[in-house]
Amino acid sequence: MKIKTAEFVISNSEVARCPNSSLPEYAFIGRSNVGKSSLINMITSRKSLAKTSGRPGKTQLINHFLINGDWHLVDLPGYGYARVSKSIKKTFQKFITAYFEQREQMICAFVLIDSRHEPQPIDMEFMQYLGEHGIPFCIIFTKADKLKPNALDRNVENYKAKMLETWTEMPEYFVTSSENGLGQEEVLNYIDNINTQFLRN
Ligand code: GDP
């Protein structure tokens, strides 16, 4: 898929106020600082469509972008920052779960995982939640350029092994780098294939 147009549509804190549209949408979510904004910019070949984070946790909004006029890319707030209070975390959780549970046109959630790190409980728990609610998701490993090829392969294999402790199969996954564009084509093709099926039905 070629990105012809990518436009910001709306930011809001309520699922009910998300665009009134049946276009298929794809959500990007992950821990704060995982590289989500950079990835969204890389995927869409735009320099600053998503604002790279100055202060993690500041922007707790659902951001919709219209891509090529025919699908929505949704930038969800990062989770798991240490500096916010428990009650903010709870409110945040509600707001994210409301999005996933109410937004029927949400086709696939891309869960971003920093390829450098060991599997983290917060990501595992989040994917567990998605699984339990029948919400389709893929994994996107970010910042692949920061590792040597062997270390990257080892970490991905390690992640798979960890996932297979609780899942019967490894979800679809992509290895990406916003620094050098690795994975852009694969992610866009994946979205394109689903969109084609979606439009046929
Ligand atoms: P967000 O908080 O998840 O939106 O993360 P950002 O996109 O703001 O990225 C957090 C930090 O990681 C920034 O300093 C980015 O420059 C850096 N970063 C993000 N993606 C990559 C990547 O693919 N490679 C490298 N080397 N750095 C990255």
Side-chain angles (χ1 to χ4, degrees), residues 31-39 51-53 142-146 176-179:
R31 297 181 75 185
S32 172
N33 216 35
V34 69
K36 182 168 51 71
S37 312
S38 307
L39 181 89
K51 307 269 177 294
T52 43
S53 51
T142 63
K143 309 190 187 182
D145 63 282
K146 291 208 177 204
T176 69
S177 161
S178 302
E179 202 63 23

Side-chain angles (χ1 to χ4, degrees), residues 25-28 100 105-110 135-138 190 194:
E25 69 188 45
Y26 298 83
F28 289 73
F100 284 115
Q105 54 278 70
M106 206 293 301
I107 301 284
C108 178
F110 289 101
I135 297 158
F137 71 93
C138 294
Y190 184 80
I194 302 181

Side-chain angles (χ1 to χ4, degrees), residues 13-66:
S13 59
E14 278 173 56
V15 187
R17 289 169 62 192
C18 285
N20 182 10
S21 142
S22 54
L23 291 178
E25 69 188 45
Y26 298 83
F28 289 73
I29 189 163
R31 297 181 75 185
S32 172
N33 216 35
V34 69
K36 182 168 51 71
S37 312
S38 307
L39 181 89
I40 290 172
N41 292 335
M42 184 278 271
I43 296 284
T44 55
S45 304
R46 296 293 184 275
K47 276 207 181 85
S48 52
L49 190 65
K51 307 269 177 294
T52 43
S53 51
R55 223 169 95 201
K58 199 164 175 250
T59 328
Q60 306 232 337
L61 296 169
I62 307 174
N63 303 294
H64 273 75
F65 299 94
L66 180 63

Side-chain angles (χ1 to χ4, degrees), residues 6 20 26 74 93 98 105 116 147-148 165 168 177 190 197:
N20 182 10
Y26 298 83
V74 182
Q93 234 172 20
Q105 54 278 70
R116 295 170 300 172
L147 288 171
K148 295 212 167 85
E165 286 175 13
T168 49
S177 161
Y190 184 80
Q197 289 169 29

